[in-house]
């Protein structure tokens, strides 16, 4: 075996312990020397955020959190942080909450300590995203990576099962995209493979017994692995598609990822046999797509974009926006007609196996 690659890891402190969020967070704020903290949490999680930040020097609680981080929302949050002379941000919540903290850090350089309550994984990446009008812009900057992450599975216990499933499959999408992202390397693939394995174990436990901490811990552990792999490997075809769908048509982030994933896997896997084998092994299956679909069936995963607000008439507009963003490193070429077929299948919830080019030849 001959290996040749470059891999860059960003500095971040990670603390993991069920029931320990408040104590771990207090330690981290003291370690960073902050004295005027801005706590960011959506209204639905404001009580939870107040509990875990009760012992912090909080100067302001901020609750205006909007999916896909509109630029107007980010501007108001930045102004609020400046007005209160904030020296550190604490985000308590999912991807939208972490995303808002990143938007503030992008222009201010303020440090972030993230306390995730979903499996979105944004807390472990250098990726930021802002939406203006119907266009979502993403980028990567080291300054938006949280200095520390506090993982406490008890904070995910109130996450409903359908949202847990969608959020977990979003993490799984990070893993799959990390197998062939623009900068994917063997370390990224190893992290992604372990992330898939942990999600295969954890998510069925969460659906069978939502109060089971073991399943929640597996999913949270996997969310971190998937995000680290994705942050290094870069955004692949799946995420380019989903960013357009979310930003342009305001589709829910996690559900969109959960629905689109099997179609991208079906499209790319025949052209990436080594990655396909790694994904299959993580699912303990002989075929990557079969393994994913078996898991999705056990989880009663969402299946069709039409159920979440996409209209068939939107597909052509989406194709036009996605084509220029397709990574040149994708395992197989992608045409507008390919995207049209993929989105039409995801719109209606068609069987991904029937969509897979070359699937019959592979066997």
């Amino acid at each position: 075996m001959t290996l040749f690659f470059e891999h860059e890891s960003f500095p971040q402190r990670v603390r993991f312990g069920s029931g320990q969020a408040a104590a771990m967070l207090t330690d981290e704020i003291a370690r960073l020397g902050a004295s005027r903290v801005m706590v960011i949490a959506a209204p639905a999680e404001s009580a939870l955020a107040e509990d875990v930040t009760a012992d912090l020097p909080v100067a302001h609680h901020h609750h205006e959190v909007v999916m896909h981080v509109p630029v107007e929302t980010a501007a108001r949050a930045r102004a609020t942080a400046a007005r209160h002379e904030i020296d550190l941000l604490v985000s308590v919540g999912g991807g939208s909450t972490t995303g808002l903290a990143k938007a503030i850090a992008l222009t201010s350089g303020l440090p972030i300590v993230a306390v995730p309550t979903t499996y979105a994984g944004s807390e472990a990446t250098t990726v930021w995203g802002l939406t203006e009008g119907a266009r979502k812009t993403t980028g990567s900057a080291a300054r938006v990576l949280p200095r520390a992450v506090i993982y406490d599975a008890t904070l995910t216990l109130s996450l409903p099962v359908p949202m847990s499933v969608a959020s977990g499959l979003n993490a799984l999408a990070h893993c799959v995209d990390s197998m062939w992202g623009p900068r994917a390397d063997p370390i990224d693939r190893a992290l992604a493979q372990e992330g898939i394995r942990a999600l295969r174990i954890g998510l069925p436990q969460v659906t069978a017994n939502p109060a089971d901490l073991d399943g929640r811990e597996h999913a949270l552990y996997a969310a971190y692995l998937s995000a680290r792999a994705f942050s290094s490997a870069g955004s692949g075809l799946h995420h380019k598609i989903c960013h357009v769908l979310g930003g342009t048509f305001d589709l829910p982030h996690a559900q969109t990822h959960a629905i689109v994933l099997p179609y991208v896997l079906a499209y790319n896997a025949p052209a990436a046999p080594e990655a396909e084998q790694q994904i299959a092994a993580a699912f303990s299956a002989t075929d990557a797509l079969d393994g994913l679909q078996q898991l999705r069936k056990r989880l009663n995963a969402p299946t069709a974009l039409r159920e979440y607000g996409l209209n068939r008439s939107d597909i052509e507009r989406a194709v036009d926006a996605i084509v220029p963003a397709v990574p040149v490193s994708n395992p197989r070429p992608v045409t507008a007609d390919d995207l049209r077929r993929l989105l039409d299948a995801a719109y209606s919830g068609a069987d991904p196996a029937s969509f897979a080019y070359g699937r019959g030849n592979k066997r």
Side-chain angles (χ1 to χ4, degrees):
M1 179 174 66
T2 301
L3 292 177
F4 182 79
F5 65 90
E6 294 182 5
H7 180 89
E8 183 175 359
S9 294
F10 292 95
Q12 183 181 68
R13 185 176 172 91
V14 176
R15 301 187 64 171
F16 200 111
S18 294
Q20 301 299 313
M24 293 188 297
L25 182 57
T26 300
D27 287 348
E28 288 308 302
I29 299 308
R31 185 178 68 86
L32 292 168
S35 61
R36 295 189 62 79
V37 174
M38 176 168 162
V39 177
I40 303 171
E45 293 176 305
S46 60
L48 173 65
E50 289 183 12
D51 284 344
V52 299
T53 63
D55 295 330
L56 303 187
V58 178
H60 178 67
H61 285 274
H62 192 83
H63 301 306
E64 188 191 5
V65 176
V66 183
M67 187 171 60
H68 304 302
V69 194
V71 293
E72 300 86 358
T73 304
R76 286 190 290 271
R78 289 165 177 166
T80 298
R83 185 169 64 253
H84 287 277
E85 299 180 331
I86 299 301
D87 60 5
L88 186 142
L89 307 167
V90 171
S91 62
V92 182
S96 297
T97 304
T98 309
L100 180 59
K102 286 181 171 184
I104 300 170
L106 183 65
T107 57
S108 68
L110 287 172
I112 303 169
V113 176
V115 186
T117 61
T118 72
Y119 312 121
S122 177
E123 68 280 352
T125 80
T126 58
V127 178
W128 56 267
L130 291 165
T131 302
E132 184 168 14
R135 184 168 180 259
K136 185 170 185 176
T137 300
T138 61
S140 179
R143 62 167 34 192
V144 308
L145 181 75
R147 300 283 183 88
V149 185
I150 305 297
Y151 286 111
D152 181 342
T154 64
L155 303 185
T156 69
L157 289 174
S158 61
L159 191 66
V161 167
M163 192 60 212
S164 296
V165 167
S167 185
L169 290 175
N170 181 16
L172 207 154
H174 287 139
C175 295
V176 172
D177 240 9
S178 297
M179 291 290 183
W180 44 57
R183 301 182 302 276
D185 62 44
I187 296 174
D188 300 329
R189 296 185 186 102
L191 291 171
Q193 186 175 28
E194 171 64 3
I196 295 171
R197 186 198 68 82
L199 288 164
R200 171 179 62 81
I201 294 170
L203 290 180
Q205 290 179 281
V206 171
T207 59
N209 182 5
D212 176 34
L213 270 181
D214 185 66
R216 298 281 185 178
E217 287 183 346
H218 268 84
L220 208 52
Y221 160 69
Y224 172 73
L225 294 177
S226 70
R228 286 309 299 257
F230 176 71
S231 188
S232 173
S235 185
L237 177 63
H238 172 88
H239 280 77
K240 296 300 184 183
I241 291 171
C242 292
H243 285 163
V244 167
L245 294 176
T248 305
F249 306 106
D250 200 31
L251 302 189
H253 183 83
Q255 290 86 347
T256 300
H257 282 270
I259 293 167
V260 171
L261 178 59
Y263 300 99
V264 175
L265 179 58
Y267 185 81
N268 274 346
E274 290 187 10
E276 194 275 342
Q277 290 170 13
Q278 283 187 275
I279 296 168
F283 281 126
S284 195
T286 57
D287 179 281
L289 183 59
D290 286 346
L292 173 61
Q293 289 301 85
Q294 288 170 19
L295 178 63
R296 286 170 49 82
K297 184 176 180 180
R298 291 180 69 185
L299 302 177
N300 193 26
T303 58
L305 292 175
R306 66 185 177 191
E307 296 174 358
Y308 292 90
L310 189 73
N311 299 312
R312 183 165 256 135
S313 59
D314 295 328
I315 291 177
E316 201 60 37
R317 183 179 167 199
V319 168
D320 290 342
I322 295 167
V323 166
V326 173
V328 296
S329 61
N330 195 62
R332 67 187 305 163
V334 182
T335 67
D337 188 57
D338 294 329
L339 288 171
R340 203 171 287 116
R341 292 180 62 252
L342 188 154
L343 290 176
D344 189 71
Y347 165 81
S348 61
D351 181 7
S354 66
F355 171 77
Y357 293 158
R359 188 174 168 84
N361 295 333
K362 186 185 67 171
R363 290 180 174 175

